[in-house]
Amino acid sequence: MDSIHITTPHRSYPIHFGALAPKLQFKGKVLVVSNSRVGGLYLDFLLPKISAPEICICIIEDGEHYKTFESVQRILETAFLHRLDRKSTMIALGGGVVGDIVGFAAGIFMRGIDFVQIPTTLLAQVDASIGGKTGINNVFGKNLIGLFHQPASVHIDPFFLHTLPAREFAAGVAEIIKMAVTFDASFFEWLWEHHLSLETQDSLLTALRGAISIKQRVVCQDEKEQGLRAALNYGHTFGHVIEKESGYGHYLHGEAVSMGIVMVNALACKHGCLTTSEAERICTLLQSYNLPTHYKILNKQQFYHSLFLDKKTANNKIKFILPNSIGNVLFYDKFTYEEIMNVLEQFCDS
Ligand code: NAD
């Protein structure tokens, strides 16, 4: 098995690639958390691989709707009932939702215990499981409550992806495209030439490695998102509003990011840092995975105001992440109200 290391001021940990190790060893108790769907598919596969003094299980409901305090509460109660202590470990078995919730629960249980990520969606394997961002949603927006808590290790096994619905797979590809556009022009060209699927394992592994290496580079330089790391939120400022407006769960996160990328690209074209032909290429690549690229805005004013809930907003200015050609980014917070509204107008037609 092959691995990449993440080193931050707080922790250094491995991201293992390939078939899950035959034994995962723990000195303390282990709480495995999964959801009803992934648990049903993979708990029997995972449990025999865990070696620990005691293993307990917590199953939460499946879906973004359940990325809530109630789910965190359920995990914490299970942890207390089984008398987990500061030497215990939580394992997140599932997609980005399970990973974010478990990371948060592990981060606040007894002021922080270890957790291990075993991501089972493409999106979680290339993005969500790496870098220690954890959190939950509330009525005000997505991921507004959370903390940075780095995992003790991450295990990326493409075997899990075989049961993933095609739509979920494509949503993961949206995040891979996002990383290429923001940080690596040659990776973008490679993606342009290679269509990713489960049938082309070699290409898939190359893409996983490419995306994870970008994430590793970024997280090692800027763990707490003081600068560079925010670039990985390319497409998210609009994407989060789309997810909230349409009701969490209507669009997959990666689908919302895909539409958000197209919207922010329109701003970048206005600003002159992206050409229309580059924007079209990005859009074409997203569409080649059947990802949605047009969101119809019903209420421009309301959409505009929702943009301010973004965590990158400071002093009432939204900091947009714009591609600076393909392979680079820049941050820009000087768009006027009229400029933003002009771009939103383009998305008001059917
Ligand atoms: P998800 O966790 O909801 O998983 C998608 C669906 O696929 C779920 O129904 C899940 O049960 C199912 N599933 C998972 N693995 C499966 C498998 N192997 N076979 C069959 N079904 C499977 O969604 P996601 O796209 O993985 O993650 C989205 C979440 O990740 C969002 O909440 C987003 O905010 C978060 N996220 C976090 C970060 C971060 O840095 N922490 C980065 C990106 C996204």
Side-chain angles (χ1 to χ4, degrees):
M1 198 193 306
D2 167 13
S3 52
I4 290 182
H5 263 78
I6 298 260
T7 304
T8 70
H10 300 98
R11 176 156 233 166
S12 175
Y13 60 94
I15 302 168
H16 299 294
F17 282 94
L20 203 60
K23 273 287 169 228
L24 303 172
Q25 309 268 5
F26 298 92
K27 292 208 175 82
K29 292 182 186 184
V30 167
L31 171 60
V32 180
V33 183
S34 194
N35 69 27
S36 41
R37 181 158 163 201
V38 181
L41 287 167
Y42 293 112
L43 267 182
D44 288 348
F45 165 78
L46 177 65
L47 292 178
K49 294 180 185 286
I50 300 174
S51 162
E54 188 181 327
I55 304 169
C56 40
I57 295 164
C58 176
I59 300 295
I60 55 176
E61 304 294 339
D62 182 14
E64 187 76 42
H65 271 301
Y66 296 97
K67 201 172 164 183
T68 57
F69 260 126
E70 286 70 31
S71 297
V72 173
Q73 184 67 11
R74 188 135 141 203
I75 296 168
L76 296 178
E77 275 169 10
T78 312
F80 285 118
L81 278 172
H82 288 270
R83 295 169 192 257
L84 262 68
D85 57 32
R86 302 201 66 194
K87 300 267 177 250
S88 304
T89 301
M90 292 188 191
I91 297 183
L93 174 70
V97 169
V98 169
D100 279 8
I101 299 173
V102 176
F104 182 54
I108 59 174
F109 181 75
M110 298 196 173
R111 298 208 178 89
I113 62 166
D114 277 357
F115 85 111
V116 166
Q117 290 271 22
I118 306 185
T120 60
T121 63
L122 182 57
L123 182 143
Q125 293 194 345
V126 294
D127 196 358
S129 65
I130 301 156
K133 270 198 200 174
T134 76
I136 53 173
N137 307 328
N138 70 358
V139 287
F140 294 96
K142 257 184 73 86
N143 300 329
L144 293 178
I145 299 163
L147 40 79
F148 286 94
H149 185 50
Q150 298 292 345
S153 61
V154 184
H155 302 261
I156 310 282
D157 185 347
F159 159 76
F160 291 114
L161 304 180
H162 284 91
T163 48
L164 199 62
R167 232 182 114 193
E168 298 285 352
F169 184 86
V173 177
E175 301 279 357
I176 297 178
I177 295 172
K178 168 197 86 176
M179 304 223 197
V181 174
T182 45
F183 284 103
D184 194 337
S186 58
F187 186 37
F188 183 86
E189 293 309 322
W190 185 90
L191 289 170
W192 188 260
E193 299 294 331
H194 297 81
H195 189 83
L196 303 178
S197 77
L198 284 171
E199 284 69 51
T200 50
Q201 279 287 315
D202 285 353
S203 293
L204 185 58
L205 277 171
T206 308
L208 279 169
R209 221 171 208 298
I212 292 168
S213 304
I214 291 174
K215 181 107 194 211
Q216 178 239 19
R217 241 169 39 222
V218 173
V219 170
C220 290
Q221 283 180 59
D222 178 22
E223 180 193 13
K224 295 269 172 91
E225 202 169 301
Q226 302 298 306
L228 188 71
R229 186 168 177 180
L232 292 176
N233 292 317
Y234 165 54
H236 287 59
T237 306
F238 289 102
H240 282 165
V241 178
I242 295 172
E243 277 186 287
K244 182 168 176 277
E245 269 201 350
S246 51
Y248 292 123
H250 178 76
Y251 288 113
L252 302 179
H253 177 69
E255 291 175 338
V257 167
S258 169
M259 292 182 277
I261 285 176
V262 173
M263 282 181 158
V264 80
N265 283 356
L267 262 182
C269 288
K270 277 236 178 271
H271 190 58
C273 55
L274 189 74
T275 63
T276 23
S277 73
E278 286 170 328
E280 273 161 21
R281 278 187 93 202
I282 297 168
C283 186
T284 305
L285 189 57
L286 293 165
Q287 285 170 342
S288 71
Y289 289 93
N290 292 324
L291 285 160
T293 50
H294 185 84
Y295 177 72
K296 184 170 161 37
I297 297 176
L298 294 176
N299 184 331
K300 243 183 352 182
Q301 202 65 35
Q302 195 173 305
F303 195 98
Y304 176 83
H305 285 295
S306 297
L307 286 171
F308 284 88
L309 280 173
D310 191 271
K311 288 192 287 301
K312 291 175 298 306
T313 301
N315 303 326
N316 232 14
K317 289 220 164 272
I318 309 165
K319 197 192 267 181
F320 288 99
I321 298 142
L322 307 177
N324 191 8
S325 190
I326 291 175
N328 279 299
V329 269
L330 59 85
F331 297 96
Y332 191 72
D333 67 357
K334 302 216 165 17
F335 285 114
T336 61
Y337 170 80
E338 287 74 26
E339 284 169 323
I340 297 173
M341 286 309 246
N342 274 341
V343 165
L344 295 186
E345 181 66 43
Q346 293 174 28
F347 295 87
C348 289
D349 316 324
S350 50

